Amino acid sequence: MSKSISGFSKLSKSKKIDWIVDTYFSNAEDATRILKQYWNSSEKLQQLHDEFIENTITNYYLPFGVAPNFSINGKLYTIPMAIEESSVVAAASKSAKFWLDRGGFKTTVISTTKIGQVHFTYKGDFEKLKQFFISVKSKLFKDTETITKNMKKRGGGIIDIKLRDKTEDIENYYQLHASFETLDAMGANFINSCLEQFAKTFKSEALVFGLFSDEEKQIDIIMSILSNYVPNCLVRAEVSCKVEDLSENGSILGETFANKFVQAVNIAEVEPYRAVTHNKGIMNGIDAVILATGNDFRAVEAGVHAYASRRGKYSSLSHAKVENGIFTFWMEIPLALGTVGGLTGLHPLVKLSLELLHKPSAKELMQIVAVAGLAQNFAALRSLTTTGIQEGHMKMHLMNILNQFEASDFEKQTLTEYFKNNTVTHSAVTEAINNLRVKN
Ligand code: MEV
């Protein structure tokens, strides 16, 4: 039975580790060694990571890879990706190369509006609440001026605030529903600070609003928070080419491929079981770039999947068609991203990623991230509708299996060569490594 502890966050890092390893591990020495193995040798860099969160005891590494040769609106990019799944970077690179010779990716930012809400209850006449909202609206803007000053100077800020009656859903429930333009910032802190100020002003002004009865004056603020559902912060990514240009080295016939590909997308449009996996493939690309560029992948995930269900049924984020001999594959997705603020100016690898991407604005990053998602989806569907996913996936996974066997460099080299012409399965690799070890 493990024990509880109070004041854990106040302990030094070594004391935290001592408590953890003594409480949970049979071999405390081994556990300590593993945790410390991941500490950075630069004390300054380690301290930076320690201070990102509370109770840091070590760092958790993910591979940081790059996928070159992405042509986006005619400009070349090498896209940084932080991800553990073996085949993702390889698939992205393959897609990039494929489309490089076929006109590249085309993208447009459709909209950049973000939403935040103050959720409150009010017991009284809705007409009076509407009157109050009209009278207080300009003060809501005025009282947030210190927060919005800099954002406004750069062309952003609060776009509008609306009063929403939600009493059909929950008794006495209303909202201030605000829209924001946060430019190059993801904007979570900006939006939440504005919302909390709206809530304060709204509540205090209600207390002195002449038309309200005593009960109506008692507006109860439930919470003030941005929404990660951003259907109006939308980007489109697309590839297209003549159907015959989809043929590659004579191995796939363009028309056969295009038709099967479109069918695969159609299936994901109508079948939620398939749509979830289809979209997961898209998120393989998206999350990897989001992580590498220091953005909030949980926010993006939540928003994207809500968008995929916006018509009341979970569906594919991407679409494909063949029209007049032209194959088109595209996707529109909501992405609230930042290239200033948050980790972007703090984490050295995030700074490096952004420089690698030509220091993009948030709008440019939206386009790059959408392309990474579409490229990943293209690669997955291409494998699925031709060779099947396992061939490429297991080839990439081979190194993981070899590492499980603690294969030497010689063994890795020999078996990588061997599996170029043989099917990779866990048992085939086990057999091959055992044979090799017997021989040597
Ligand atoms: C694996 O991480 C992602 C795929 O399953 C996506 C898909 O099925 O489209 C290959």
Side-chain angles (χ1 to χ4, degrees), residues 200-214:
K200 265 191 212 148
T201 303
F202 202 68
K203 190 171 172 57
S204 61
E205 290 298 312
L207 292 173
V208 293
F209 186 60
L211 294 182
F212 278 163
S213 67
D214 282 350

Side-chain angles (χ1 to χ4, degrees), residues 284-310:
N284 276 344
I286 290 186
D287 283 340
V289 191
I290 299 276
L291 267 174
T293 56
N295 275 277
D296 181 342
F297 66 93
R298 289 85 56 208
V300 168
E301 282 279 346
V304 163
H305 295 297
Y307 188 75
S309 323
R310 70 195 178 286

Side-chain angles (χ1 to χ4, degrees), residues 296-347:
D296 181 342
F297 66 93
R298 289 85 56 208
V300 168
E301 282 279 346
V304 163
H305 295 297
Y307 188 75
S309 323
R310 70 195 178 286
R311 297 199 178 95
K313 180 177 166 185
Y314 191 90
S315 178
S316 169
L317 291 161
S318 63
H319 309 281
K321 65 178 180 188
V322 174
E323 245 171 42
N324 304 324
I326 303 290
F327 167 82
T328 310
F329 177 47
W330 76 98
M331 173 172 81
E332 283 175 11
I333 51 158
L335 289 172
L337 305 179
T339 52
V340 298
L343 277 196
T344 56
L346 272 182
H347 196 300

Side-chain angles (χ1 to χ4, degrees), residues 85 88 274 277-282 284 377 380-381 384 389 393:
E85 191 173 326
V88 169
R274 173 58 201 148
T277 319
H278 177 98
N279 291 346
K280 187 272 183 188
I282 293 173
N284 276 344
N377 193 209
L381 292 176
L384 286 167
I389 203 77
H393 189 77

Side-chain angles (χ1 to χ4, degrees), residues 169-184:
D169 297 326
I170 298 177
E171 201 184 2
N172 305 323
Y173 169 37
Y174 298 87
Q175 293 170 352
L176 295 179
H177 182 91
S179 46
F180 299 85
E181 169 54 63
T182 62
L183 306 169
D184 284 338

Side-chain angles (χ1 to χ4, degrees), residues 36 84 87 99 110 127 168-169 179 250 271 344:
K36 292 193 174 172
E84 86 302 342
S87 52
W99 285 105
I110 297 167
E127 286 309 314
E168 276 194 9
D169 297 326
S179 46
E271 168 54 58
T344 56

Side-chain angles (χ1 to χ4, degrees), residues 20-253:
I20 297 260
V21 297
D22 290 343
T23 311
Y24 292 101
F25 292 87
S26 52
N27 188 334
E29 217 174 287
D30 229 27
T32 308
R33 184 185 53 75
I34 292 169
L35 287 170
K36 292 193 174 172
Q37 201 171 21
Y38 284 91
W39 285 6
N40 200 284
S41 55
S42 151
E43 257 178 54
K44 203 165 153 225
L45 193 59
Q46 187 52 55
Q47 192 182 347
L48 182 74
H49 283 71
D50 287 353
E51 290 171 1
F52 283 147
I53 59 167
E54 190 168 85
N55 296 342
T56 309
I57 53 172
T58 190
N59 306 306
Y60 185 94
Y61 290 179
L62 279 181
F64 178 97
V66 292
N69 296 319
F70 272 96
S71 164
I72 307 178
N73 301 332
K75 189 167 165 183
L76 271 179
Y77 290 86
T78 292
I79 299 188
M81 302 178 102
I83 187 150
E84 86 302 342
E85 191 173 326
S86 348
S87 52
V88 169
V89 177
S93 305
K94 232 173 149 182
S95 252
K97 200 77 203 299
F98 183 91
W99 285 105
L100 184 66
D101 303 331
R102 291 165 177 81
F105 291 81
K106 303 280 182 301
T107 56
T108 35
V109 171
I110 297 167
S111 50
T112 55
T113 304
K114 291 158 191 167
I115 299 296
Q117 298 170 318
V118 177
H119 306 268
F120 66 94
T121 56
Y122 161 80
K123 290 184 193 142
D125 179 359
F126 182 45
E127 286 309 314
K128 283 202 236 167
L129 184 65
K130 279 203 270 189
Q131 286 295 317
F132 170 59
F133 175 67
I134 292 166
S135 74
V136 81
K137 191 168 172 180
S138 59
K139 191 159 171 47
L140 295 177
F141 280 92
K142 192 163 187 330
D143 287 0
T144 46
E145 264 170 9
T146 48
I147 308 166
T148 58
K149 202 168 88 198
N150 286 338
M151 191 66 91
K152 260 164 70 184
K153 259 192 229 154
R154 285 180 268 129
I158 305 159
I159 300 170
D160 196 12
I161 313 167
K162 288 193 162 64
L163 173 69
R164 282 182 157 190
D165 178 355
K166 304 293 286 182
T167 51
E168 276 194 9
D169 297 326
I170 298 177
E171 201 184 2
N172 305 323
Y173 169 37
Y174 298 87
Q175 293 170 352
L176 295 179
H177 182 91
S179 46
F180 299 85
E181 169 54 63
T182 62
L183 306 169
D184 284 338
M186 189 268 193
N189 286 332
F190 172 77
I191 294 174
N192 289 334
S193 301
C194 289
L195 294 171
E196 289 188 5
Q197 184 56 53
F198 293 163
K200 265 191 212 148
T201 303
F202 202 68
K203 190 171 172 57
S204 61
E205 290 298 312
L207 292 173
V208 293
F209 186 60
L211 294 182
F212 278 163
S213 67
D214 282 350
E215 191 182 31
E216 287 167 337
K217 283 181 178 163
Q218 299 309 317
I219 282 177
D220 194 14
I221 305 291
I222 310 297
M223 59 189 161
S224 310
I225 187 75
L226 94 168
S227 172
N228 290 125
Y229 186 42
V230 283
N232 291 317
C233 188
L234 210 59
V235 57
R236 179 187 166 97
E238 179 187 305
V239 283
S240 70
C241 70
K242 285 188 196 150
V243 165
E244 63 259 33
D245 291 348
L246 289 168
S247 311
E248 229 195 348
N249 312 327
S251 64
I252 314 173
L253 190 67

